[in-house]
Amino acid sequence: MSLNNIESKRAVFTHPITGGSFYYTLLTASEVDARLPSLFSSCGSSEETDYVSFQPDTRLKSATQDRFVVTDIELSDGSWKLRAVLDGHGGHDAVNFASQSIAAFLRSRLNDVIDAHDNSPPADAVARAIVDAVRDMDNSIADGLYALFPGGEQSLSSMTNEEISAIVNDAPENHQKVMRCVNGSTLLLSLIDARRENLWVCSLGDCQAVLCQEAESGQWSSSVLSFNHNAGDPGEAARLKSEHPGEEEIILNDRVLGVIAITRAIGDYEFKLSLPYVQRVLLNIKPSLKFSFATLEQFISRLKTPPYLTSQSEVTHVSLNSLSGNVILVLCSDGLIDAYEEGSRDLDAFASRIATALRDVPPGSNIASHLIRDAIGGADLEKASYSLTLEFPGKWLDDVTVLVQRL
């Protein structure tokens, strides 16, 4: 990138990809610290968890599609701690539903497994219950759409587009059910059992979870507990190619069907449903389905053997009894790694950046806020200044949500 000062408080940022030049305001460290909190849509602490949601473009602050959950789930053996970060896309319907529903779906599955094992379920049984709960929640979104057309694909073939459009658009509750299918969301959650002996981290999509532990020397170590479910990941790319042999356009430019980066998600049923439901139902929704990286015609031509996305999550288990000293878990949407790494998705490097940032957290401060301050520039005031004040016509930083849970 090229940064050229043009006067004491104004500078020019040259975009590294497009080459376009845009003004931003140079800020002092105190000005950065004063401006940053005003751009938080949520900021605070609940019990042992600090949380912040951030979007520097004030035009988009109220439109953030990030959500988070900080709650306890009362189960048959006691109170379990649930923390979650969700990163929505395409609209708010799917991410709102998931953030409001995940606790109930977990409660159902977890009570079953607790009761089946006399209040002492093994870690792998809990992991399976979490995976099942996430899948149940996603399936319920599709069930809402299927219920609108009891005759299934056969009934669609006998209906006109006008009749289908009336069903999905005229009644608000029907429209919301279909929009949950069209929209999507990632999901990252942590769960701690009632005995405070076990931690599970569940990944669906490309949010990040980093476990950090402080040594007696004051240095922090870190490890990644989440998975990277996007088309740029070699393992995910190989899985998709094996599931859809012979489809040369299964991944284009690190996107599934050349359209979406993530490979696992809640919602996004245009990538999961059969072609009749996509063409006859989802394409009749208003506002119309649109993609940023492909035309609708290109997408339909590539839609041969769905589903292409899955709601099959992956779970990591950690015994809390094996940890000692100060230990924290960072859960974040992918906006944080984008702010830190500026295009790189090296998870180990990202975890190291988190550990380094924890060395100088002011006592009593909100750690989530501290990490965002570090990610947007830290001591690099030029980066912090353009991160906060860039005069750009579009979105220059992704929404960022960070939860920091003290274990």
Side-chain angles (χ1 to χ4, degrees):
M1 74 185 66
S2 173
L3 296 169
N4 306 297
N5 293 342
I6 60 174
E7 55 180 297
S8 60
K9 295 289 288 184
R10 299 274 281 172
V12 173
F13 169 80
T14 301
H15 197 283
I17 298 176
T18 67
S21 296
F22 306 94
Y23 288 117
Y24 69 95
T25 302
L26 287 166
L27 304 176
T28 64
S30 59
E31 289 172 332
V32 170
D33 292 338
R35 183 180 179 87
L36 182 60
S38 70
L39 301 173
F40 294 157
S41 55
S42 297
C43 180
S45 298
S46 178
E47 296 183 10
E48 79 304 327
T49 302
D50 295 342
Y51 58 85
V52 170
S53 283
F54 164 67
Q55 171 49 247
D57 189 339
T58 55
R59 298 167 300 176
L60 302 173
K61 184 177 177 182
S62 62
T64 176
Q65 294 179 54
D66 280 5
R67 300 290 186 272
F68 66 88
V69 178
V70 177
T71 192
D72 292 344
I73 307 177
E74 298 304 323
L75 300 177
S76 54
D77 70 336
S79 180
W80 291 48
K81 292 186 178 298
L82 169 66
R83 306 293 184 260
V85 171
L86 304 93
D87 185 354
H89 49 268
H92 299 272
D93 296 276
V95 71
N96 284 344
F97 174 77
S99 61
Q100 295 162 9
S101 304
I102 184 58
F105 281 96
L106 284 169
R107 182 181 298 111
S108 176
R109 285 289 186 172
L110 290 171
N111 270 330
D112 287 345
V113 76
I114 290 169
D115 293 344
H117 292 87
D118 296 325
N119 288 350
S120 297
D124 60 342
V126 173
R128 288 193 298 272
I130 296 170
V131 170
D132 290 342
V134 173
R135 187 183 61 249
D136 291 345
M137 181 172 67
D138 188 52
N139 288 344
S140 75
I141 293 176
D143 290 342
L145 181 145
Y146 291 142
L148 301 180
F149 304 95
E153 291 185 13
Q154 185 174 357
S155 68
L156 293 176
S157 63
S158 63
M159 298 175 71
T160 66
N161 283 336
E162 290 73 19
E163 290 171 330
I164 294 173
S165 179
I167 291 173
V168 301
N169 292 306
D170 292 354
E173 63 272 21
N174 291 356
H175 185 263
Q176 184 180 61
K177 290 176 181 178
V178 181
M179 288 304 296
R180 288 173 184 166
C181 291
V182 173
N183 302 163
S185 179
T186 64
L187 171 64
L188 176 71
L189 68 84
S190 69
L191 198 63
I192 296 177
D193 61 4
R195 298 176 181 177
R196 307 298 182 257
E197 295 177 349
N198 297 281
L199 165 70
W200 294 266
V201 172
C202 172
S203 300
L204 186 77
D206 57 0
C207 292
Q208 287 76 42
V210 179
L211 184 70
C212 302
Q213 188 168 5
E214 186 180 25
E216 292 183 2
S217 64
Q219 299 297 302
W220 287 82
S221 60
S222 59
S223 58
V224 178
L225 300 186
S226 53
F227 295 87
N228 213 21
H229 296 147
N230 61 48
D233 179 80
E236 287 294 278
R239 177 181 62 81
L240 278 167
K241 290 176 181 178
S242 69
E243 292 174 356
H244 304 275
E247 296 185 36
E248 296 182 358
E249 296 180 309
I250 180 66
I251 295 177
L252 296 173
N253 300 317
D254 288 340
R255 292 179 176 271
V256 179
L257 303 183
V259 174
I260 191 169
I262 57 174
T263 54
R264 309 189 190 204
I266 299 296
D268 288 321
Y269 269 92
E270 60 269 36
F271 298 90
K272 299 174 181 177
L273 294 173
S274 63
L275 194 57
Y277 279 104
V278 175
Q279 289 185 306
R280 300 303 312 285
V281 179
L282 299 190
L283 295 192
N284 270 302
I285 193 72
K286 298 176 183 178
S288 301
L289 186 64
K290 294 181 181 179
F291 302 115
S292 299
F293 297 91
T295 66
L296 197 55
E297 291 75 18
Q298 288 173 324
F299 171 69
I300 293 298
S301 71
R302 297 165 185 166
L303 197 65
K304 298 175 181 177
T305 58
Y308 291 94
L309 265 60
T310 178
S311 59
Q312 182 75 14
S313 57
E314 293 189 275
V315 176
T316 302
H317 170 257
V318 176
S319 170
L320 295 180
N321 294 330
S322 68
L323 306 177
S324 61
N326 290 330
V327 183
I328 66 170
L329 176 66
V330 177
L331 305 175
C332 60
S333 60
D334 66 336
L336 188 66
I337 191 173
D338 287 346
Y340 262 122
E341 303 299 324
E342 298 183 304
S344 169
R345 285 298 181 99
D346 185 329
L347 295 182
D348 291 330
F350 171 66
S352 295
R353 295 288 296 272
I354 295 289
T356 300
L358 292 175
R359 297 174 186 172
D360 59 353
V361 177
S365 66
N366 183 308
I367 303 176
S369 174
H370 175 81
L371 291 177
I372 289 179
R373 173 67 180 86
D374 189 63
I376 64 167
D380 183 347
L381 292 181
E382 286 187 331
K383 180 182 177 182
S385 295
Y386 72 70
S387 293
L388 297 182
T389 68
L390 192 65
E391 298 171 22
F392 188 71
K395 193 175 186 179
W396 68 90
L397 276 181
D398 195 4
D399 302 330
V400 182
T401 294
V402 182
L403 303 186
V404 177
Q405 185 178 13
R406 298 169 181 84
L407 302 179

